[in-house]
Amino acid sequence: MKKLSVPAVGIDLGTTFSVVAKLDDEGRPQTLINAEGERLTPSVVLFDQDAVVVGREALKALAIEAENCAECSKRDVGHRVFHKVLEGKQYPPEVIEALILNKLRIDAATQVGPFSKAVVTVPAYFDEVRRKATQDAGYMAGLEVMDIINEPTAAAVAFGFQQGYLNREGSSIEPQHVLVYDLGGGTFDLTCMEIRGTEFIALATDGDVRLGGYDWDQRLVDLVAEQFIRKHGADPREDPRSSGKLWRECEDAKRTLSTRPKATVICEHRGLIAHVEVTREQFEESTQDLLDRTRFTTVQTLKAAGLQWSEIDRVLLVGGSTRMPMVRKMLEELTGKPPDASVAADEAVAHGAALHAGLLLAKEQGLPRLFRIRNVNSHSLGVVGIDPLTKRRRNGILIPRNTRLPVTAKRTFKTSKANQRSVLVQIVEGESPSADECTPIGRCSLPKLPSGLSAQTPVDVWFHYKPNGRLKVRVLVPGTDRKVETEIVRENSLPKEHLDGWRQYISGVPPTEYR
Ligand code: AMP
């Protein structure tokens, strides 16, 4: 492989752990080690007076000063503020994500040299608002996010690389259908892909942005807390410190239960202590409904892809939570074949992102591309209309979910009165016919229409979904030369000045404070 002039870096910004990978001189993905010498960086931020600590130390602090720690911020991305007030301050979740990315960037730079270009991964099921927020987090962390790529797709690319598809002979390999089942710490993603040699084509995608290992931990916490209450009459979940410690203990016990039939959790609260034994059977029983949700989605996705189980060549396991035996058992029962755990569950996504970064950099430098990715949208895109009968706000779907990207759709609006100078379009994502049950992406005002238009003049609005699931809107008044690319006024997004302010703040935090 011809050498790239800048490093190809891929970042898996996970709910519970994050991973950074680069391509080596031979074009092979390699996980980078963080300042603590570890491959996985806990996605936890500790606000310790003026210092900001990210990673292992922050995770440890979760057990003793949970009130100052931000964990699972990825789950809140897309909301205005993080669910916890930290040292009396409210932070947008993407700022917390940016602090994590900044630590990852600084640590990676010690190995690859200073860099800014990177590819960041997102759950396939992330909507447009969350995708934008992730790109913004990258910007605030001093990165130039070349692209965002879906996590299951990245894992499939890493798999393709590992299987030797991404070479010249790769294109002659028989097409394969791969179902990527990605259960991480906080999100669940499922994508059905066709790998045609060097082409990675997403056929259908589904998931849940608020379902992951964290929910399994929570069930274990509840199980142990109930035993504690029975013994001591006090609830350890009520105190943030006892509950933070219990959470860590339970996460640990959950990992033990993946390899052993039972585990003991030590629970301490108000000077009282209980040793609670949990069997794998109890754990599986108390989390069965969570697993069933993933099972249901798996069946739905296969249907959406128009495939039968007999046509699926492999079920690829990605994400740390797929180590739970209950996941593997369920998938084997469902598909009739043992799932494939050949990619490194925790690192495959970052590896795929690094391969994608390498592809983009090669393209920039006029080098041949090794592979190609085709994506689908994970949520339907619609515009809000008012039902003339019920006067309710309806979601008029323009681009149904699982449509191959890039895609462009047109909707014609009519001016309601003569000489109308603007039209307001409200854009939503979601499947519900009721606009109020969908995610508002933003409003798009179509200003400066030419003067003198008569009432009922058609105004064409073009929605263009880019391959990475980001949206652009263009407006055209037929018969005139009026063509505008309009900015979407976002409901839940930081304005540019705030992004710049945070970028400056984050760049000013000395790297030592990230240790
Ligand atoms: P990821 O986001 O892919 O890094 O996955 C992290 C999630 O995987 C966390 O919820 C971990 O608790 C979970 N996890 C990691 N290893 C294991 C294991 N051996 N058994 C069960 N869950 C695990």
Side-chain angles (χ1 to χ4, degrees):
M1 177 175 160
K2 200 154 173 260
K3 209 166 172 307
L4 297 166
S5 53
V6 289
V9 178
I11 302 177
D12 170 9
L13 180 61
T15 311
T16 45
F17 293 96
S18 295
V19 183
V20 185
K22 67 151 192 176
L23 293 190
D24 68 13
D25 289 346
E26 306 300 320
R28 286 179 305 230
Q30 219 180 41
T31 303
L32 295 175
I33 306 294
N34 65 14
E36 294 76 35
E38 288 164 352
R39 301 162 83 81
L40 271 60
T41 301
S43 306
V44 185
V45 182
L46 164 69
F47 292 83
D48 188 10
Q49 285 163 8
D50 285 337
V52 178
V53 184
V54 180
R56 190 174 64 179
E57 292 307 311
L59 179 64
K60 275 202 220 151
L62 200 55
I64 40 173
E65 44 178 324
E67 64 279 16
N68 298 334
C69 293
E71 80 283 19
C72 291
S73 51
K74 185 171 172 179
R75 282 196 157 200
D76 286 5
V77 165
H79 294 243
R80 208 171 274 280
V81 286
F82 183 62
H83 68 272
K84 232 191 235 180
V85 177
L86 299 146
E87 294 199 307
K89 262 202 206 156
Q90 282 199 310
Y91 290 86
E94 57 265 51
V95 169
I96 298 168
E97 296 278 90
L99 287 163
I100 299 167
L101 282 171
N102 193 45
K103 141 98 174 162
L104 300 174
R105 180 181 62 78
I106 292 168
D107 286 3
T110 61
Q111 291 158 79
V112 302
F115 72 96
S116 60
K117 290 188 175 187
V119 166
V120 180
T121 63
V122 289
Y125 206 58
F126 252 23
D127 55 31
E128 216 268 349
V129 174
R130 292 181 166 96
R131 285 170 193 265
K132 157 95 171 55
T134 306
Q135 280 181 321
D136 288 347
Y139 175 76
M140 290 186 278
L143 288 168
E144 183 189 325
V145 181
M146 288 190 288
D147 203 0
I148 43 174
I149 166 176
N150 290 347
E151 286 157 13
T153 306
V157 169
F159 168 77
F161 176 83
Q162 187 181 296
Q163 298 286 316
Y165 297 174
L166 305 191
N167 52 28
R168 235 175 296 126
E169 296 82 48
S171 47
S172 63
I173 290 169
E174 281 285 295
Q176 287 209 20
H177 288 131
V178 176
L179 185 82
V180 186
Y181 179 102
D182 180 355
L183 189 61
T187 54
F188 170 57
D189 245 1
L190 204 78
T191 298
C192 194
M193 303 210 60
E194 183 169 296
I195 307 182
R196 280 183 172 270
T198 56
E199 232 176 291
F200 294 79
I201 308 158
L203 301 176
T205 197
D206 206 333
D208 192 331
V209 288
R210 294 183 78 84
L211 179 65
Y214 184 81
D215 300 283
W216 269 259
D217 299 341
Q218 191 61 56
R219 291 290 168 87
L220 209 46
V221 166
D222 292 342
L223 210 85
V224 173
E226 275 151 29
Q227 295 281 341
F228 191 93
I229 296 170
R230 218 165 287 154
K231 187 165 178 204
H232 295 299
D235 189 344
R237 290 167 298 190
E238 279 169 5
D239 172 58
R241 290 193 184 179
S242 311
S243 136
K245 191 149 189 280
L246 177 60
W247 186 78
R248 275 211 72 182
E249 281 275 334
C250 285
E251 201 262 346
D252 213 43
K254 177 185 73 174
R255 289 175 190 246
T256 305
L257 289 171
S258 289
T259 48
R260 306 184 61 180
K262 54 187 175 198
T264 302
V265 179
I266 301 170
C267 179
E268 288 175 74
H269 176 51
R270 291 198 202 145
L272 302 163
I273 190 160
H275 291 246
V276 180
E277 191 183 272
V278 184
T279 65
R280 188 189 289 168
E281 210 179 337
Q282 277 174 311
F283 173 60
E284 292 186 348
E285 223 169 77
S286 68
T287 53
Q288 187 60 42
D289 60 311
L290 301 174
L291 187 73
D292 286 346
R293 276 162 65 186
T294 75
R295 186 184 195 278
F296 178 76
T297 310
T298 309
V299 173
Q300 292 294 104
T301 309
L302 189 77
K303 223 189 262 172
L307 295 173
Q308 309 280 338
W309 283 121
S310 57
E311 294 169 281
I312 296 288
D313 300 289
R314 277 168 205 264
V315 178
L316 208 58
L317 295 181
V318 185
S321 301
T322 58
R323 294 204 178 93
M324 291 188 290
M326 66 193 296
V327 168
R328 297 175 183 213
K329 229 183 319 166
M330 179 277 286
L331 285 170
E332 184 159 358
E333 269 166 30
L334 191 63
T335 65
K337 44 178 92 73
D340 184 324
S342 65
V343 293
D346 304 304
E347 296 170 49
V349 169
H351 287 191
L355 285 161
H356 186 51
L359 177 90
L360 297 175
L361 291 171
K363 206 166 129 198
E364 269 180 29
Q365 293 175 27
L367 301 172
R369 67 161 93 205
L370 275 179
F371 61 96
R372 195 189 196 97
I373 293 173
R374 305 246 192 108
N375 196 8
V376 290
N377 58 330
S378 50
H379 301 270
S380 298
L381 181 89
V383 291
V384 179
I386 305 294
D387 188 307
L389 287 178
T390 62
K391 303 283 178 242
R392 291 226 173 97
R393 282 158 39 88
R394 310 293 295 164
N395 169 20
I397 291 181
L398 280 181
I399 305 176
R401 63 189 295 201
N402 287 326
T403 301
R404 181 74 56 83
L405 302 181
V407 64
T408 301
K410 184 182 90 168
R411 176 87 170 225
T412 303
F413 295 86
K414 290 205 171 122
T415 55
S416 55
K417 50 181 197 261
N419 204 24
Q420 188 171 323
R421 300 304 300 274
S422 69
V423 172
L424 184 75
V425 180
Q426 286 174 286
I427 309 164
V428 290
E429 260 187 348
E431 313 314 314
S432 170
S434 160
D436 297 331
E437 286 170 15
C438 297
T439 308
I441 290 188
R443 284 165 291 127
C444 186
S445 154
L446 320 176
K448 298 188 199 130
L449 295 178
S451 58
L453 293 179
S454 57
Q456 301 293 308
T457 300
V459 179
D460 292 344
V461 183
W462 298 82
F463 297 88
H464 180 69
Y465 250 140
K466 296 200 286 179
N468 62 10
R470 292 297 320 279
L471 184 69
K472 275 221 149 51
V473 181
R474 280 202 186 83
V475 182
L476 189 95
V477 181
T480 71
D481 58 356
R482 220 45 213 115
K483 228 188 266 175
V484 221
E485 188 157 298
T486 112
E487 277 296 316
I488 305 169
V489 179
R490 291 165 182 280
E491 318 281 354
N492 267 343
S493 184
L494 292 173
K496 180 80 169 70
E497 326 74 90
H498 289 200
L499 293 178
D500 287 333
W502 283 113
R503 186 174 159 114
Q504 215 168 1
Y505 160 76
I506 291 170
S507 72
V509 181
T512 49
E513 291 185 3
Y514 283 84
R515 301 271 152 80

